[in-house]
Each structure stands twice: as structure tokens, then as C-alpha cells.
Amino acid sequence: MLQNIVVSVFIHKVDGLSEDQRADALRDINFRVTEELSEAEIGIIPKIQLTSVYDYSIFEALSIVGQKLIPELLSTFEWLLNALKNPCGMDRVMLFDVATKCYIATDTETVPTNIYEMCCDMLDLVADVSNIYTNPEAVYYYDSKSFSLVHLDNGTVILTKYICNNLILVCLLPESCLNDLGLIEHNIGKFSQGMDDVLTANNKRKPLTISDFN
């Protein structure tokens, strides 16, 4: 029974430590916890992460925990993200929860911390700009028409598109891909429809698998 329990531990407020000190602290804590659990014959290996209030590490850690709670949906989300990413020539595709800035799913590649932080900054920028033009009584800054493009100095474009259920798509792609913006918008539409189908089926407790899209 214990083997099915996933334990995540956040070591918070590590702001005052240098990178070397953080690495040493994490290694020491991992060793001591693993040793004590082993001596107590408790078959649990906790996932220990360092977090801080001064960066996005706490949101990144919560993202990883959240993904473990939806293993069946996660594989389908990843398949849909890759089905969008590859034909459009995108570098990275992520699905965020608007309210928490936790990423619900990504394409199959690992997300570097600097990429995650850049995407969070993009969401903050969109929210700040939207706040200027949104009805003050509005609860959310996003709706089905929310779409934005930001060009970076290195030739990368960050694209955001609201999908549904408080979920927003964040894509990193080369500027050259914008020559086929119509194709990108079409594929995002297909992705949105796929997400809607998945969530609707899940709400009805009818599992939807990758084979349903083939």
C-alpha cells in the first residue's frame, strides 16, 4: 500500500543560500531522510525540492505535484500538445492554469526553469495589459478570444491563447513560423476542440484515450 503513496517535500525559504549551499543542503536532507525511512522500514522515497518566495520555484514544484494527480489525463494532454507542436514547428508548448501559474502539462521535453519563468512573466504581462482594457467588474482577464504574440530579441516569439476551463496555452516558436500563422491558428483550434472533448469525457467519467483521436 505504501508503494502507491507519493510524498513531496518542499524545503522553503532557501533564498539566503548560495547555489553550492543549496545543492549541499538538498543532498544532505535527501540522504538523512532516505536513511531514516530505510531504518524504519518505510517503503517511501519522497521527492524533495528547494523552493523560494522570491522566484517561481514554488509554482514549478506545485506543477510537478499537480501532474502526479492526473496521470491518465496527463498522457492525453501531452499527446495533444505534441500533435500541435510538431506540425507548427514550435520549440516548446505548455498548458498553464491561469489562476495559479502552475503548468498542467507540457510537450514531452523537460522544461528548464528559465523557460518556465519566462512563460510566467508572459502571463503576468498579458494580465497587466488586459487589466487596462478590461471591464473593472470582470472576474477574469481572459476569454475565448484572448490571443497574444510577443517578439523577443533572440528571434523567439511567445504566443498565448486561452483554451477553456481557466487553461491557457503558451507556445515558444521561431519568428519564421509566423509566415504560417493561419496554419498555427487552425491547429490551435483543433487542439482546443480536443481539450474540450477530453475534459467533457472526464467529467462524464468516460476515459478518453489517444486512440480516440486517430
Side-chain angles (χ1 to χ4, degrees), residues 84-134:
L84 169 64
K85 170 189 171 183
N86 296 330
C88 295
M90 296 175 175
D91 296 325
R92 186 86 54 177
V93 187
M94 304 174 69
L95 189 66
F96 277 81
D97 175 76
V98 172
T100 63
K101 284 188 289 193
C102 293
Y103 62 91
I104 307 303
T106 72
D107 55 70
T108 49
E109 294 186 35
T110 304
V111 180
T113 298
N114 64 320
I115 295 293
Y116 173 69
E117 292 178 346
M118 184 168 59
C119 291
C120 288
D121 288 338
M122 176 64 181
L123 294 179
D124 286 337
L125 173 63
V126 173
D128 290 342
V129 173
S130 298
N131 187 36
I132 299 173
Y133 301 101
T134 301

Side-chain angles (χ1 to χ4, degrees), residues 58-194:
I58 184 67
F59 299 111
E60 189 172 13
L62 286 170
S63 298
I64 295 171
V65 172
Q67 290 173 14
K68 292 177 181 177
L69 300 176
I70 53 169
E72 297 84 5
L73 284 174
L74 184 61
S75 61
T76 305
F77 289 166
E78 289 178 349
W79 186 89
L80 287 171
L81 288 168
N82 279 297
L84 169 64
K85 170 189 171 183
N86 296 330
C88 295
M90 296 175 175
D91 296 325
R92 186 86 54 177
V93 187
M94 304 174 69
L95 189 66
F96 277 81
D97 175 76
V98 172
T100 63
K101 284 188 289 193
C102 293
Y103 62 91
I104 307 303
T106 72
D107 55 70
T108 49
E109 294 186 35
T110 304
V111 180
T113 298
N114 64 320
I115 295 293
Y116 173 69
E117 292 178 346
M118 184 168 59
C119 291
C120 288
D121 288 338
M122 176 64 181
L123 294 179
D124 286 337
L125 173 63
V126 173
D128 290 342
V129 173
S130 298
N131 187 36
I132 299 173
Y133 301 101
T134 301
N135 186 326
E137 298 180 358
V139 178
Y140 299 110
Y141 301 132
Y142 301 94
D143 58 29
S144 59
K145 297 180 180 178
S146 295
F147 179 88
S148 65
L149 290 170
V150 170
H151 295 251
L152 305 182
D153 291 340
N154 62 0
T156 297
V157 174
I158 305 179
L159 178 154
T160 67
K161 178 68 175 74
Y162 183 81
I163 302 301
C164 61
N165 292 57
N166 216 35
L167 298 177
I168 190 166
L169 183 69
V170 180
C171 309
L172 277 66
L173 58 154
E175 269 187 336
S176 58
C177 289
L178 296 183
N179 295 330
D180 295 318
L181 185 57
L183 174 64
I184 292 174
E185 291 177 338
H186 172 77
N187 287 337
I188 289 177
K190 292 293 186 181
F191 172 83
S192 299
Q193 183 59 56

Side-chain angles (χ1 to χ4, degrees), residues 46-57:
K47 171 66 175 178
I48 300 176
Q49 296 171 263
L50 304 180
T51 59
S52 168
V53 295
Y54 294 108
D55 56 31
Y56 292 110
S57 58

